[in-house]
Amino acid sequence: MYITCLDLEGVLVPEIWIAFAEETGIPELRKTTRDEPDYDKLMKYRINILKEHNLGLKEIQETIAKIDPLPGAKEFLDELRSIGQVIILSDTFEQFATPLMKKLGWPTIMCNTLEVAPNGEITGYKMRCEKSKLTTVRALHSCGYQTIASGDSFNDLAMIQASKAGFLFRAPDSIIKDYPQIKPLTEYNQLLDEIKKVIL
C-alpha cells in the first residue's frame, strides 16, 4: 500500500514567508528552505528579523488569510486522494497551516508548532521530531507502507530519496542541477501521471 507524501509551500500553496516579505516590504524574509538547507539557522534568522521589526504571529496570520492555494492545487489533491492516501509533510507550523488546509479541503498535514508569547511575539519553535520529513517516511515504511514523495526544497530531498518513487516539483534550477537523479516536474498533471504509474 502506498502513501504519497507532499511538501506544502511551493508545491500546493505559495511560500508563506515570501508573501509576508512582500506584504511587509522586508526583503530579508524572502529567504526560504530553497536558499538555506539548515532549518534551525533559517528560523532563528527569521525570528530575529521579526523581533527587530516588532512583528508577531498576528501580522503573519493576517497575510496567510489572503493566500490561496496555487492554481490547480486543490483539484490535483482531490484527484490524488481519490486514488490513494496522501499526507502533507511540512516544516511550517500549525498556526500557519490551518487556514490553508481549510482551502485545500482539510487534507492530513504533519507540521511543527511555534512558541508564541502572550503578546503574540514568536519566541521560538518546536519541531515535531528530528529530520521530520525523513523520520515520518521511515516510520511509514516500518508500518508496511511504501511512500511516494514530492517537494521543491533542500528539506524535501531526504524524504524523496528514501521513498519508492520521488519527484522534484517546481524546484529551483540549482537543486535540479545538483540532483539530476531526481525527476523534475512542473505541472500537476505530470506529477499525477507519475504517481499513478506507481500506484495503479
Side-chain angles (χ1 to χ4, degrees), residues 150-152 160 166-173 175-177 179-187 190-191 194:
S150 185
D152 69 329
I160 289 171
F167 310 96
L168 290 169
F169 189 75
R170 297 179 182 170
D173 291 342
I175 292 179
I176 292 171
K177 184 182 172 190
Y179 293 86
Q181 70 276 27
I182 305 174
K183 190 169 190 174
L185 305 170
T186 58
E187 301 300 327
Q190 295 172 333
L191 182 54
E194 292 292 342

Side-chain angles (χ1 to χ4, degrees), residues 90-107:
S90 175
D91 280 338
T92 193
F93 307 97
E94 292 172 336
Q95 296 94 329
F96 290 3
T98 301
L100 296 168
M101 293 306 99
K102 183 177 181 182
K103 291 179 180 180
L104 285 168
W106 297 111

